Amino acid sequence: MIEIQNESRRLLDTEDGEYIGVRSEQDAYLDKVKNGKLFLATLAAVLGPLSFGFVLGYSSPAIPELSTITDPRLRLDDDEASWFGSIVTIGAAIGGLLGGWMVDKIGRKLSLMFCSLPYIFGFTIVIAAQNVWMLYLGRVLTGLASGVTSLVVPLYISEIAHERVRGTMGSCVQLMVVTGIMGAYIAGMFLDWRWLAICCSIPPTMMMVFMCFMPETPRFLLSQGKRREAEEAVRFLRGPDAPAGWECARIEDASDDQGGSLGMADLKDPGVYKPLGVGIMLMLFQQLTGINAIMFYAETIFEEAHFKNSNVATVVVAAIQVVFTAVAALVMDRAGRKLLLILSGFSLGWGPIPWLVMSEIFPSRVKGFASSVCVLTNWGSAFIITKTFQDMMDLLTNAGTFWLFSGCCALNIVFTILFVPETKGKTLEQIQTQFKGTPE
């Protein structure tokens, strides 16, 4: 460890040879970083959330058309339409469990590349569908890919981004999700449901190709004992001027402190159970805002509200989401995660921030397991809410349903004030130390 510290000092000494101190050591390192290829890697990764957004948005324009189609084999009644919209969340819950295993076994990069396949196969089955069951199968497969994506992409970005831009980069996940939803709504105004499925299959194909040229995360490579490959990944992501050995040494130091693999005793560790509890509740509260229920059935909601141009209204809703999620991305590393969660109740904060915080707060040895639990919570609650949404509308009346969601948003605020830590400007190692309650 002394050798690591001496190497850090040698790499980050000031010009007059005087050591600049531990806190400013990180600033000195970041001053040498160039972000161009980091942005490129993030762009390749967020094609996954863009695909995810197309999956979520697809049902809104497709359901009205499939409910009135002339072919009786494909025509959806009210119950089948409900399943068509919500069954994607079952696949996503399974994908969350699968993604947690994949990221630890084959890495973040390969997990992203492989999750392109169920996207493509799922939309291909929808395109070729001859009956309702083929539509269901296609939706389950695209949901499976969405579940893997919702776990892996935030994790990948959090591990390649440094703390000065991690909030903005992490918020791009949800920005691309809502952009995909809006894209599906807009395309649905001009394309029938088969051509819309063809359009939706383009982003995952692009992701699989572009990710071939992106690096694995340095943290995963170091966990596999691949120091040389980890330093090459750091050089790619930080530019030639940043000392790759210094960042790798810092990650290794933190990994040594965290210990090895997950055991039952870890569930008694505040550095594990506290962030796990926060992550689970953030995922649950996100769905209790009604965000997915509204997006899945947006066009149907406006039709029932007797809007003359319900498809245009859905595009307007999606556009508002895109605008405010973009605002969140721009101010995330300045305003902070906690403040935005408190101030917002929908896309500004509760869309992007739960996924971002989930990717930041878990120790390396439990990231796969803890992220799987959180994603399963998110998509499990999404299934219950989206599947029963129409029943809630009938039981509570339209206004009553939205008052219920509003009440959940108020509970979100209380929970955030009491339990969610601020992670802005902190390294992943500092965040984990904060949960443990030990000095940084």
Side-chain angles (χ1 to χ4, degrees), residues 39 42 46 157 162-179 320-337 340-341 344 346-354 356 360 424:
F39 296 157
T42 300
V46 296
I157 292 176
H162 54 81
E163 54 269 29
R164 285 185 181 174
V165 298
R166 194 175 62 240
T168 298
M169 296 295 96
S171 298
C172 287
V173 173
Q174 185 68 14
L175 178 60
M176 295 303 280
V177 171
V178 295
T179 300
I320 291 171
Q321 273 203 307
V322 171
V323 169
F324 281 98
T325 305
V327 170
L330 291 173
V331 303
M332 189 72 69
D333 285 311
R334 296 182 180 181
R337 287 63 152 156
L340 284 177
L341 281 176
S344 69
F346 207 47
S347 290
L348 179 61
W350 280 93
I353 298 177
L356 172 61
E360 295 177 316
K424 178 189 74 171

Side-chain angles (χ1 to χ4, degrees), residues 137-150:
L137 177 59
R139 289 286 283 171
V140 168
L141 284 175
T142 57
L144 178 74
S146 298
V148 176
T149 298
S150 64

Side-chain angles (χ1 to χ4, degrees), residues 14 83 87 129 219 241 252 265 329 353-354 367 379 392 431 435:
T14 55
W83 276 106
I87 201 170
R219 277 179 173 78
D241 297 333
E252 288 177 324
I353 298 177
K367 272 190 175 178
W379 287 112
M392 285 195 295
I431 294 168
F435 274 109

Side-chain angles (χ1 to χ4, degrees), residues 38-118:
L38 169 62
F39 296 157
L40 189 64
T42 300
L43 178 61
V46 296
L47 288 171
L50 182 66
S51 307
F52 173 17
F54 272 104
V55 171
L56 296 183
Y58 180 80
S59 60
S60 181
I63 285 176
E65 185 178 356
L66 288 168
S67 298
T68 58
I69 197 170
T70 56
D71 188 343
R73 298 173 302 169
L74 291 167
R75 190 183 308 130
L76 303 178
D77 59 29
D78 288 345
D79 188 56
E80 289 169 338
S82 174
W83 276 106
F84 182 79
S86 61
I87 201 170
V88 69
T89 59
I90 297 177
I94 298 170
L97 293 175
L98 178 63
W101 176 84
M102 290 173 64
V103 293
D104 288 335
K105 294 298 182 182
I106 66 173
R108 286 62 161 146
K109 174 181 173 176
L110 285 179
S111 296
L112 275 178
M113 294 178 67
F114 280 132
C115 81
S116 304
L117 299 177

Side-chain angles (χ1 to χ4, degrees), residues 11 16 32 60 64 142 161 178 189 217 240 256 265 277 290 317 379 408:
L11 292 168
D16 59 3
K32 299 178 181 180
S60 181
T142 57
V178 295
M189 296 173 65
T217 72
D256 289 340
V317 170
W379 287 112
C408 291

Side-chain angles (χ1 to χ4, degrees), residues 251-264:
I251 296 170
E252 288 177 324
D253 186 14
S255 298
D256 289 340
D257 291 341
Q258 289 175 14
S261 59
L262 174 68
M264 290 301 296

